[in-house]
Amino acid sequence: MKTFLKNQYSYTNNLLILIVSAVFGYNLYQAIVHPEKSHLTLSLILVIITYYTVRKYGAKSS
């Protein structure tokens, strides 16, 4: 809980990770079941952008 209170971006980062995970999971499912409907490349780009965003704003130096 201490980390959550110290880091002003933690709630936003968790929400972003949740949304990106849901989108990536759905597109992974589409790639397996209906390959013609999948947008897996766009999902991977979204995951990479999220990784760098969370890495940049994830830790706050005191």
Side-chain angles (χ1 to χ4, degrees):
M1 190 69 173
K2 264 187 176 178
T3 307
F4 182 77
L5 293 175
K6 283 186 180 179
N7 189 347
Q8 64 182 354
Y9 299 110
S10 63
Y11 179 75
T12 307
N13 287 344
N14 289 335
L15 186 63
L16 183 62
I17 290 170
L18 176 76
I19 293 169
V20 169
S21 297
V23 169
F24 182 71
Y26 175 75
N27 282 314
L28 185 60
Y29 164 77
Q30 288 294 343
I32 293 169
V33 178
H34 305 288
E36 68 278 357
K37 290 184 177 179
S38 77
H39 299 286
L40 202 53
T41 306
L42 295 175
S43 292
L44 286 173
I45 292 169
L46 186 61
V47 167
I48 292 169
I49 291 170
T50 302
Y51 171 76
Y52 284 113
T53 303
V54 170
R55 189 166 167 97
K56 181 178 179 181
Y57 297 110
K60 183 179 177 185
S61 331
S62 300

